Amino acid sequence: AQSVTQPDIHITVSEGASLELRCNYSYGATPYLFWYVQSPGQGLQLLLKYFSGDTLVQGIKGFEAEFKRSQSSFNLRKPSVHWSDAAEYFCAVGPSNFGNEKLTFGTGTRLTIIP
Amino acid sequence: EAQVTQNPRYLITVTGKKLTVTCSQNMNHEYMSWYRQDPGLGLRQIYYSMNVEVTDKGDVPEGYKVSRKEKRNFPLILESPSPNQTSLYFCASRRKGGERVKTGELFFGEGSRLTVL
């Protein structure tokens, strides 16, 4: 069965500092991988996705993520965080054939930004 | 504007009183799904629908029903709500995937916070 692990429940970083959020997945075939962000009181917004090709993917709001098959990881990074990045971040994995299967989400990482 | 609309956004109800959370999307998406979000558990799928009149259970379907009579609507029905269904619910939709259509992006509604007393 597919699964996603986000080992960090809560991360605090200073504004302007770099950020890395960890995501490890378990899936038998080639996965589709996603990062979503949830701002307080809002739904989830897609930051970026990986289907195939270049393992370093760029997303919105200056985020990027790198797919490392050997480590089963898809970590999210940003070189310099802004106060508006404070939110909860979810990693998700999906099947490579979108038939009747679903996206499986991690438990999320809450990001706090300090001045 | 492309969107997924859920109603109500907030609801407090009592055990056993039937309720329906509506979900509507204006993107002509075939696939729709309901998730619930609970602290420490992330998002878990309740039900999904691949198209009109085609629905199937997700990971946590107990106590819920859905219907898909029209492509744009996918209501979530709680026939007899219980306190353990207190949660934040999200409806989502996307285009149907396929070999040549590599899209998996789910578009989410803003959520419906349900409290069952």
Side-chain angles (χ1 to χ4, degrees):
Chain A
Q2 60 200 50
S3 66
V4 177
T5 301
Q6 292 180 249
D8 304 305
I9 297 173
H10 187 198
I11 284 182
T12 300
V13 299
S14 299
E15 189 169 14
S18 63
L19 171 70
E20 182 168 28
L21 302 182
R22 296 183 291 166
C23 172
N24 293 97
Y25 69 90
S26 173
Y27 190 71
T30 301
Y32 287 178
L33 294 158
F34 307 84
W35 275 100
Y36 282 85
V37 60
Q38 182 182 24
S39 299
Q42 301 295 314
L44 281 78
Q45 181 184 21
L46 181 70
L47 283 176
L48 48 78
K49 60 190 176 186
Y50 171 77
F51 288 160
S52 64
D54 193 345
T55 56
L56 184 64
V57 295
Q58 303 296 321
I60 62 171
K61 305 185 180 186
F63 285 92
E64 66 178 27
E66 185 171 12
F67 170 59
K68 293 185 177 180
R69 185 187 299 276
S70 62
Q71 299 177 20
S72 298
S73 69
F74 189 57
N75 294 347
L76 181 71
R77 300 194 294 247
K78 187 171 184 178
S80 176
V81 299
H82 186 262
W83 63 266
S84 61
D85 293 325
E88 188 148 22
Y89 292 79
F90 292 92
C91 181
V93 63
S96 33
N97 176 23
F98 274 88
N100 291 329
E101 297 188 49
K102 66 183 185 296
L103 290 189
T104 298
F105 287 83
T107 52
T109 297
R110 181 167 298 281
L111 175 64
T112 298
I113 308 294
I114 56 176
Chain B
E1 180 188 355
Q3 59 186 6
V4 178
T5 304
Q6 298 178 223
N7 281 294
R9 294 288 311 281
Y10 302 92
L11 179 63
I12 300 174
T13 189
V14 295
T15 299
K17 186 176 181 181
K18 180 180 178 179
L19 68 92
T20 299
V21 185
T22 64
C23 174
S24 180
Q25 50 92 6
N26 63 0
M27 295 168 279
N28 202 36
H29 286 166
E30 293 85 0
Y31 179 98
M32 298 185 74
S33 183
W34 277 102
Y35 288 81
R36 59 178 288 174
Q37 183 182 11
D38 301 289
L41 297 177
L43 283 84
R44 295 177 294 168
Q45 189 184 53
I46 303 170
Y47 268 95
Y48 66 94
S49 170
M50 295 298 293
N51 215 324
V52 175
E53 301 292 1
V54 180
T55 64
D56 207 348
K57 297 177 180 178
D59 295 321
V60 288
E62 294 78 20
Y64 304 95
K65 287 176 59 176
V66 293
S67 68
R68 188 88 183 274
K69 293 182 171 55
E70 304 166 285
K71 197 172 187 178
R72 65 184 293 128
N73 296 323
F74 190 46
L76 179 70
I77 303 158
L78 286 74
E79 293 272 2
S80 182
S82 62
N84 64 12
Q85 292 179 298
T86 293
S87 187
L88 178 59
Y89 291 87
F90 287 102
C91 181
S93 72
R94 65 165 166 79
R95 292 168 59 193
K96 186 171 66 174
E99 187 174 339
R100 297 184 181 184
V101 181
K102 291 186 177 179
T103 176
E105 178 179 355
L106 278 177
F107 291 84
F108 284 85
E110 293 189 320
S112 296
R113 185 167 293 282
L114 171 65
T115 300
V116 183
L117 302 175

